[in-house]
Amino acid sequence: MKKRKRSWLSLSLLAGTVLLLAACGNGNEEANNTGEDGKKTLEFWSFWGSGPRREKIEALIEDFNASQDEIEVEHVYQPWGDIWTKSLASIAAGDPPDIIVQDINSVEQRADAQQAMSIQSYLDEEDEDIQSRFYPQLWDTVLYEDEAYALPFNTDTQVLFYNKDLFEEVGLDPENPPKTWEELEEYARALDKKNGDSWERIGFYPLWNLGTDVWALNADNGTSWFDEEGNVTINTPKKVEALEWILEWQDYYGEDTINTYEAEFGSGVSDPFVSGLVGIRAQNINYYTELLENAPDDFNFGVVALPEHEEGSGNWSWGGGFVLEIPDGAENPEASYEFMKYLTSTEVQEEFGLNSFDIMANKEANENLTKHPDLDEEGQMIYELADKNLEETVITPVPLTAPDFSALVNEQIDEALLGNKTAKEALDDAQSSVESLVEQNK
């Protein structure tokens, strides 16, 4: 697709939200978080410090405050990385914010540790089925012991970006991107460009921006390191095959080449995909916003789902995201829930997505954005692809019985990448280590 300049800033899906408590009046009013005008004052914490996200969330808060006379929400920015440590400290001190945006994959951990409040009683009182707003796999992440502890806010999904001009240059059809792993290899080899012992262009390398875990679940019909029943499923034949496939790519290009190119990866003009040093790049779909901001006006690229491991196995992908949560000990949880409900409504989610290009948790909002008149054809296409891709996008909450399992898996995968173990040996050892961890935490 041809890139058109827009005024949007480069955005990352690593986004969250923060509200700082504004207590005013005498001591009793402060204790009740009630201002002089009788409104309940809520803190909403976020790490959106600048750009379209901050502008839009503050505009939405202003609209919410003006829409009723019982609740006053204040937005306070907390830097990325600090927001969650500060929230834990505030909960321990008995003075938490009223609402906070948290990581979608760790809701169960906070619920189990009594760091978040259940909102199930409020949901049970609703005439509307709030659950139906969201993609099903997102809703599953907020449940703990059959009760909801958060509302999903936004999400993401991993896709392939490819350079259409380079496709044409080497005789590939730019309207027919690779559909399987086998085709991906064929396209990459066609795009590869070598001068003697030096690589002038890399067609594709699977571990740039995606981890082994994503390719493993893609190969294994959407099953991650744990299956739906919580069983450890690290060393399955399909996952071993996926790691072997990655090792073949590494051997083909060579570690020195890969390391050199990785040093080039950055934002803006230093991005090897933008500069034409890489023909196909696996990325979060929100990478589109970086291209809008940084790529030349005539940069011609396409976006497509991750290819199937083999024909008919499914375009399985991985996603993350954020939720709205009420920290344990918040003074006005009922008012907090009302604001959370507002932020996840279709109209508000649609407006937030329109301005930030986030993939929203509200399914109807994303569907509306696929044909939104304020988006051009490219923007509509991104939301259409995201909505379709979420049908086969897996969210991977961290199991309560294995809070630190990823370090054990990554350690073994690194051993394979370093050539110290075969793919099977590495994943067998990872399986054994994680099974032991689960047993210890039962």
Side-chain angles (χ1 to χ4, degrees), residues 162-172 187-205 208 249 252-253 257-258 260-261 265 272-281 299:
Y162 64 98
N163 188 317
K164 287 189 171 184
D165 288 340
L166 293 184
F167 270 44
E168 289 187 350
E169 176 189 307
V170 300
L172 296 172
Y187 280 50
R189 299 298 173 260
L191 290 162
D192 285 339
K193 197 172 187 179
K194 198 171 185 181
N195 183 4
D197 293 331
S198 300
W199 290 92
E200 295 182 353
R201 185 168 68 212
I202 299 293
F204 174 75
Y205 181 64
W208 284 335
W249 286 93
Y252 178 76
Y253 290 119
T257 300
I258 293 165
T260 299
Y261 269 74
F265 273 91
F273 179 70
V274 173
S275 63
L277 293 176
V278 175
I280 305 171
R281 181 177 182 179
F299 189 61

Side-chain angles (χ1 to χ4, degrees), residues 229-372:
E229 286 73 42
N231 300 309
V232 183
T233 53
I234 294 173
N235 64 344
T236 65
K238 292 294 185 183
K239 292 188 176 73
V240 171
E241 186 179 336
L243 183 52
E244 289 173 341
W245 180 73
I246 289 169
L247 293 175
E248 289 171 3
W249 286 93
Q250 179 179 261
D251 291 342
Y252 178 76
Y253 290 119
E255 290 186 55
D256 290 343
T257 300
I258 293 165
N259 292 336
T260 299
Y261 269 74
E262 285 179 352
E264 293 286 333
F265 273 91
S267 61
V269 294
S270 64
D271 184 335
F273 179 70
V274 173
S275 63
L277 293 176
V278 175
I280 305 171
R281 181 177 182 179
Q283 253 287 13
N284 188 307
I285 198 169
N286 201 249
Y287 176 61
Y288 175 60
T289 60
E290 296 187 32
L291 297 180
L292 289 172
E293 182 65 24
N294 298 311
D297 288 343
D298 60 351
F299 189 61
N300 193 13
F301 61 92
V303 190
V304 68
L306 294 182
E308 296 181 299
H309 176 246
E310 52 195 14
E311 189 174 353
S313 64
N315 301 98
W316 293 101
S317 186
W318 177 87
F322 295 90
V323 299
L324 302 171
E325 203 168 270
I326 304 173
D328 187 66
E331 291 285 342
N332 292 295
E334 186 173 1
S336 298
Y337 169 74
E338 287 301 316
F339 181 62
M340 290 163 58
K341 188 169 64 170
Y342 163 79
L343 284 185
T344 58
S345 63
T346 300
E347 181 180 357
V348 171
Q349 289 259 297
E350 184 178 326
E351 189 172 350
F352 192 93
L354 179 65
N355 286 270
S356 70
F357 245 104
D358 278 10
I359 308 305
M360 306 313 297
N362 185 307
K363 183 173 174 57
E364 185 179 357
N366 282 340
E367 291 172 346
N368 291 344
L369 288 164
T370 67
K371 50 185 179 295
H372 200 286

Side-chain angles (χ1 to χ4, degrees), residues 38 61 96 135 165 178 285 291 369 374 392 401 416:
I61 289 171
Y135 292 93
D165 288 340
I285 198 169
L291 297 180
L369 288 164
D374 291 342
E392 294 182 304
T401 55

Side-chain angles (χ1 to χ4, degrees), residues 103-113 116-121 123-124 129-132 134-152 323-325 395-400:
D103 174 53
I104 197 169
N105 282 312
S106 51
V107 176
E108 194 175 29
Q109 272 71 25
R110 289 186 297 276
D112 184 67
M117 297 181 66
S118 171
I119 60 171
Q120 191 61 47
S121 61
L123 293 169
D124 291 342
D129 179 16
I130 301 296
Q131 174 182 344
S132 65
F134 308 107
Y135 292 93
Q137 69 270 45
L138 303 184
W139 183 254
D140 289 343
T141 68
V142 307
L143 300 178
Y144 171 69
E145 295 185 347
D146 298 324
E147 292 194 6
Y149 279 76
L151 293 182
V323 299
L324 302 171
E325 203 168 270
I395 312 295
T396 55
V398 179
L400 285 175

